[in-house]
Amino acid sequence: MACRALSGRAGPPSPRLTRRFLFFFFTLSLSGTYLCYSLLRCAGGPLPGPERRCPAARSAGAKKLLQKSRSCGRGPGEPGGAAASPWGRDRSGEPAWSGPRGAGQEAPPAGNGSGPAKLGSKRLPQALVVGVKKGGTRAVLEFIRVHPEVRAVGTEPHFFDRHYGRGLEWYRSLMPRTLSSQITMEKTPSYFVTKEAPRRIFNMSRDTKLIVVVRNPVTRAISDYTQTLSKKPDIPTFEGLSFQNRSLGLVDTSWNAIRIGMYVVHLDSWLQYFPLSQIHFVSGERLITDPAGEMGKVQDFLGIKRVITDKHFYFNKTKGFPCLKKTESSSLPRCLGKSKGRTHVQIDPEVIEQLRDFYRPYNIKFYETVGQDFRWE
């Protein structure tokens, strides 16, 4: 009996016990697999298995759809990949944000690997060259752009006289990107003679600094006429446009070329909104004879270091105008365009003398108002 009992205990396990053991082992394996899968997903690591790739696109439309698809696997840095940077390049070659807009934009990594380089944003201008036409505004803009702390729009936006209805955000979009240490500028000479411009600029920012380049009003008028004549050869003579009645000495102040030179009349509108301390007057004559000196004063007015000096200029005898040895984008010499420094048309000396007599009282009052003698007499 004892032998039978012992031999019964040593026999094979029952089928029921075997099934329970297998079920427990299968459950444990499945739980372990799921745990490993979850840990890999949380860590962001690659999952085992073959890498998924986008199928070849046979058309431009198909390429766009594939790029938008999240199911197409791409390696880091590939176009459309998860690790691709939202920074691109604008037309000037500078890094430009191509991702969603917002205050939390980060600059692209610096090329030397030293850390993220700070890239500025488009800001409304802190300084404007508001006038005057044919006074030397283009020269001032091109000269000041040499300064590393200044960024300026190359073309004339004409926002405060022609495009004000488009709004400040449209205006801001025209501006170059600047760092917090840089000044944004633009120049539109017609602002100075636009009645609404002072109020509109004040409403944008009462702290805006204004630069006005002035020139002998008679010489300026002749230069203005010369430019117009080059575009419209059939216009009347300078003498015919300047006077309502030349024999009586009645000057036609409705002609724009004459009206612009009445500087003190236009200045009154600006002084209703801005103090003289926020307006800097550049001498168009001294800008030719001493460009470094005039630009030194401009830099002082803007509150930036005097970087632009004599070493940046040379005098071009052909144009009769100073040119830059170095520019913002090139180390090669550069002069202003063909429209600058052109030879003026010959005007009867008596007409010039009559116009000098007309402008004299306006000039004297202008000198007294700004506290500076430009010696146009």
Side-chain angles (χ1 to χ4, degrees), residues 332-352:
L332 298 176
R334 179 175 178 272
C335 282
L336 299 180
K338 296 180 180 180
S339 63
K340 310 301 178 182
R342 62 161 64 95
T343 303
H344 292 174
V345 295
Q346 294 296 316
I347 305 297
D348 185 342
E350 291 185 6
V351 171
I352 293 177

Side-chain angles (χ1 to χ4, degrees), residues 64-327:
K64 290 183 179 179
L65 289 174
L66 290 174
Q67 289 172 358
K68 292 180 180 179
S69 174
R70 294 184 179 180
S71 62
C72 293
R74 287 182 172 86
E78 292 184 23
S85 171
W87 288 91
R89 294 277 174 180
D90 62 14
R91 293 182 178 178
S92 64
E94 294 182 332
W97 179 261
S98 59
R101 295 182 179 274
Q105 298 177 10
E106 292 185 359
N112 57 9
S114 60
K118 293 184 178 180
L119 183 71
S121 58
K122 293 190 175 187
R123 298 184 295 165
L124 293 172
Q126 295 92 29
L128 300 173
V129 180
V130 297
V132 297
K133 180 184 179 184
K134 307 309 296 181
T137 57
R138 172 56 60 180
V140 168
L141 186 74
E142 293 301 320
F143 294 166
I144 198 61
R145 289 174 77 179
V146 175
H147 202 292
E149 294 180 23
V150 174
R151 294 295 308 279
V153 183
T155 57
E156 297 175 4
H158 283 280
F159 175 68
F160 294 105
D161 58 349
R162 300 178 188 174
H163 305 298
Y164 192 66
R166 296 195 177 193
L168 285 174
E169 286 308 308
W170 175 84
Y171 184 46
R172 187 199 305 271
S173 71
L174 304 180
M175 299 299 121
R177 291 185 179 276
T178 52
L179 302 175
S180 59
S181 60
Q182 292 178 312
I183 297 173
T184 303
M185 290 184 64
E186 71 110 322
K187 78 103 176 172
T188 303
S190 54
Y191 291 163
F192 189 68
V193 296
T194 301
K195 290 183 178 180
E196 299 82 6
R199 173 178 53 82
R200 291 171 174 176
I201 294 172
F202 178 84
N203 288 339
M204 176 187 72
S205 173
R206 64 179 63 194
D207 298 321
T208 305
K209 293 185 177 183
L210 309 169
I211 297 175
V212 186
V213 189
V214 291
R215 183 183 183 186
N216 185 318
V218 178
T219 308
R220 197 222 64 82
I222 296 173
S223 178
D224 198 340
Y225 176 79
T226 301
Q227 183 182 51
T228 304
L229 185 65
S230 67
K231 300 176 182 178
K232 301 177 181 179
D234 57 343
I235 62 173
T237 64
F238 179 83
E239 294 87 337
L241 292 170
S242 298
F243 295 93
Q244 292 179 338
N245 189 319
R246 184 183 169 187
S247 60
L248 297 177
L250 295 178
V251 176
D252 189 354
T253 56
S254 65
W255 185 33
N256 200 45
I258 293 294
R259 186 173 60 88
I260 291 175
M262 300 162 64
Y263 302 137
V264 72
V265 174
H266 307 297
L267 181 60
D268 284 343
S269 300
W270 292 89
L271 293 179
Q272 293 178 22
Y273 294 91
F274 296 95
L276 271 176
S277 59
Q278 280 180 233
I279 308 175
H280 179 71
F281 298 92
V282 177
S283 168
E285 287 79 15
R286 287 196 292 270
L287 189 63
I288 296 175
T289 59
D290 183 19
E294 282 300 297
M295 293 309 299
K297 296 175 184 177
V298 171
Q299 292 169 90
D300 292 344
F301 173 69
L302 294 175
I304 55 180
K305 184 179 178 180
R306 286 198 177 196
V307 172
I308 305 170
T309 60
D310 287 324
K311 67 180 182 181
H312 289 90
F313 301 99
Y314 74 96
F315 190 80
N316 186 303
K317 295 181 180 180
T318 302
K319 296 181 72 68
F321 205 82
C323 298
L324 284 170
K325 292 180 182 178
K326 298 180 180 180
T327 66

